[in-house]
Amino acid sequence: MLIMGCFVLSYSVTCAQTSENIPLSQLYQEAAAYPGLQAEASSIKSADYDYRLAKQKILPDLNLQAQNTFGTFEGAAGAFIPLPGFFNVSGTGINGNTAVNSMASATIKWDFLRFGKYRDQVQLAQVNQQQARTSFDIEALKLKHEVTQVYLGWMYSNAMHGWANREAERNKNLLQLSSSLVRSGLASAADSLIASTSLQQARGQIKKWEAQTNRFKNQLFEYTGTELINENVPKPFFLITQAEVHNSIPLHPLLTEKEHQQERLEVREEIINHQVFPDISLLAGGLVRGVGFGDDSQAFQDSYQLPINNYLMGVGLTWDLSQWYSKGLKTQQVQEEQQRVAQEMEVVKRSLNEQQNSLQFHIQKSKEEIIEAEAAYQSAAESYRLFKVRYESGLIDLTTLLQIQQSLQFTEKSRIEAYYDYWQYWNNYAYTQADFSVLTTVFN
């Protein structure tokens, strides 16, 4: 008895766990691993690396070079071969054709004065970093909207599947009742045929909504990797939330994205202004070189037998004067893009404002529709019950009862659709507010 009691208790706990509704907030957390969202997260990391690299641009450039060549050593004083780095050949006319030449050099260049160019590059990388994060927020917001839409679609199709089952059960009872009345001679044989036809139609609706429910389950599994086990519609679907809608435009990620685009264009304008100034650099270098030749014309002697050491230090100025006459056109181009972004930002603001106003109206009217639909459904259900009793007594025919049943079928379907539309309006409103806290509270 103790073993059986423990088994029954564990089975009941397991069934209770599998029948629990998965909170919407949990679906959001599991959707965070969606590849499309992870791609945006990788863009953030890439922008972070670009920002760190831009900050390292202030460090000097250091180049090292070493080479060992075999070639002529005779030549006019100061002659050179323009290879990477530099390599001089000179001689005094000693008889000989070839020699071993070794060289090692190091150069350093530090652009220590760039008149704001370095700061502009760092600032541009920082704006790109912020814009990558905003793109991630936009993608995450869209994903929440999609997950919620699929979740609501699963609840709606599941509710419609229950509606089709109830309709089939009513038609099945009518078929049994009409068959009994036909056998007793209180109804014609046509009643059984009509009831059978209605039953077949209801069973077809069951297959349809089974397919729809399975489709939404597969879509939700695609986004979250979670398979819904519970086949019951969550109770909050048939409730009206007490949360109030408010007319305000928060700092939506779509607006933030436009602000970052404006900041980027402002930095580009600063870059154009600073490009007309020169770059002042500190230059330094060192060279160790040896030539392997001797008076006896032996070419393969120690290449550092006659070493030559050189060094160089100085300050250089690089000035691209062509930037002066192209600055005006580049500035005008950036200003035109700034006007375009400003107009696009205004379009986004108006669109969000219009959507919020429209959704507020729809949510309010949807509440009123639900109240009317609930009242109509209760009336239709009571009317069907009364007419069914009259049909059982032989006071009305089956055609009249089927008309009442169709009215019940229509009102029950309208009731489910009213709730579905109501939550879809809330989902769209949450997207315009960039806040899904109302939905996560209701479907917790």
Side-chain angles (χ1 to χ4, degrees):
M1 292 293 294
L2 180 61
I3 295 175
M4 289 298 296
C6 293
F7 175 76
V8 172
L9 180 61
S10 62
Y11 179 77
S12 61
V13 171
T14 304
C15 292
Q17 290 178 350
T18 56
S19 62
E20 289 180 354
N21 299 321
I22 299 179
L24 188 58
S25 57
Q26 180 181 343
L27 294 178
Y28 291 161
Q29 294 176 0
E30 294 172 350
Y34 186 63
L37 195 60
Q38 290 299 314
E40 295 296 333
S42 298
S43 299
I44 295 178
K45 295 180 181 179
S46 178
D48 292 339
Y49 285 121
D50 289 339
Y51 176 69
R52 293 168 60 182
L53 290 173
K55 293 177 65 176
Q56 293 181 359
K57 289 294 183 180
I58 197 173
L59 300 176
D61 295 333
L62 177 63
N63 296 316
L64 297 176
Q65 180 180 346
Q67 63 185 39
N68 187 37
T69 60
F70 180 72
T72 61
F73 65 89
E74 296 177 346
F80 66 92
I81 298 176
L83 295 175
F86 54 89
F87 176 60
N88 292 335
V89 290
S90 61
T92 59
I94 300 175
N95 294 328
N97 294 321
T98 59
V100 177
N101 301 274
S102 299
M103 185 189 73
S105 64
T107 59
I108 185 172
K109 179 184 178 184
W110 182 26
D111 298 331
F112 66 92
L113 185 59
R114 301 191 63 193
F115 298 95
K117 297 178 184 178
Y118 165 74
R119 184 177 64 251
D120 293 339
Q121 294 297 329
V122 174
Q123 188 175 358
L124 182 61
Q126 189 175 11
V127 173
N128 291 336
Q129 189 181 36
Q130 295 172 355
Q131 190 167 4
R133 293 172 181 170
T134 303
S135 298
F136 176 84
D137 294 338
I138 293 175
E139 190 66 24
L141 190 63
K142 290 180 179 178
L143 184 59
K144 283 184 178 180
H145 184 263
E146 288 291 332
V147 170
T148 306
Q149 188 172 3
V150 174
Y151 186 60
L152 293 174
W154 170 78
M155 287 189 288
Y156 167 68
S157 60
N158 209 350
M160 293 301 297
H161 180 256
W163 163 81
N165 279 324
R166 288 188 294 273
E167 185 66 18
E169 187 64 24
R170 284 192 291 264
N171 286 313
K172 182 179 179 181
N173 293 334
L174 286 182
L175 178 60
Q176 295 175 352
L177 180 59
S178 62
S179 299
S180 176
L181 293 177
V182 168
R183 287 193 298 269
S184 62
L186 298 177
S188 64
D191 286 0
S192 297
L193 295 176
I194 296 175
S196 177
T197 302
S198 300
L199 178 59
Q200 294 298 325
Q201 291 177 349
R203 288 176 176 174
Q205 290 292 322
I206 292 176
K207 301 300 181 182
K208 169 187 174 181
W209 291 110
E210 281 181 355
Q212 290 289 339
T213 304
N214 186 67
R215 179 174 70 89
F216 284 114
K217 287 174 63 176
N218 292 335
Q219 287 183 349
L220 200 61
F221 182 80
E222 174 191 354
Y223 287 125
T224 64
T226 300
E227 185 174 358
L228 297 177
I229 301 177
N230 184 17
E231 297 297 335
N232 298 322
V233 182
K235 293 181 180 179
F237 182 78
F238 293 105
L239 297 176
I240 298 177
T241 179
Q242 300 299 322
E244 297 293 336
V245 293
H246 47 86
N247 189 9
S248 64
I249 301 179
L251 191 58
H252 199 277
L254 293 176
L255 294 176
T256 306
E257 182 184 34
K258 294 302 177 182
E259 291 181 355
H260 290 329
Q261 291 181 6
Q262 289 182 338
E263 293 175 1
R264 180 182 176 86
L265 292 173
E266 291 174 358
V267 175
R268 283 183 55 189
E269 190 173 4
E270 291 295 326
I271 292 176
I272 293 173
N273 294 330
H274 291 159
Q275 281 179 346
V276 299
F277 297 107
D279 293 339
I280 299 179
S281 308
L282 177 64
L283 306 174
L287 168 68
V288 177
R289 175 189 166 202
V291 180
F293 69 89
D295 294 340
D296 54 357
S297 300
Q298 294 180 359
F300 296 99
Q301 293 186 1
D302 185 5
S303 60
Y304 284 95
Q305 185 177 3
L306 300 174
I308 301 174
N309 300 325
N310 294 297
Y311 66 89
L312 172 69
M313 293 185 64
V315 177
L317 182 145
T318 304
W319 199 343
D320 187 2
L321 298 178
S322 63
Q323 297 294 334
W324 283 99
Y325 57 79
S326 62
K327 173 186 174 182
L329 293 177
K330 292 180 179 179
T331 302
Q332 291 179 4
Q333 182 184 17
V334 172
Q335 290 176 351
E336 290 295 331
E337 292 183 7
Q338 288 177 341
Q339 294 181 4
R340 175 183 60 81
V341 173
Q343 295 297 329
E344 290 178 352
M345 188 173 183
E346 183 65 23
V347 170
V348 173
K349 286 182 179 180
R350 294 187 180 185
S351 176
L352 291 175
N353 190 23
E354 187 278 331
Q355 290 182 37
Q356 288 184 8
N357 293 333
S358 177
L359 289 170
Q360 289 175 13
F361 182 80
H362 279 91
I363 290 174
Q364 182 60 37
K365 294 302 177 182
S366 184
K367 287 182 180 180
E368 299 174 2
E369 181 184 1
I370 288 175
I371 295 174
E372 297 294 336
E374 287 285 0
Y377 171 68
Q378 297 297 331
S379 299
E382 181 65 18
S383 176
Y384 175 77
R385 186 184 67 83
L386 295 176
F387 274 87
K388 184 179 179 182
V389 173
R390 298 184 67 183
Y391 176 71
E392 293 174 353
S393 303
L395 299 178
I396 60 173
D397 56 6
L398 182 61
T399 304
T400 303
L401 181 59
L402 287 177
Q403 292 177 353
I404 303 301
Q405 181 178 335
Q406 288 179 356
S407 177
L408 174 60
Q409 178 185 8
F410 175 77
T411 54
E412 186 179 6
K413 182 179 180 181
S414 299
R415 169 179 171 267
I416 297 174
E417 291 177 344
Y419 280 106
Y420 177 64
D421 293 339
Y422 173 73
W423 290 118
Q424 285 285 23
Y425 293 142
W426 264 110
N427 182 30
N428 295 332
Y429 180 77
Y431 176 78
T432 60
Q433 289 284 321
D435 183 11
F436 287 81
S437 59
V438 174
L439 292 172
T440 54
T441 301
V442 173
F443 299 100
N444 189 11

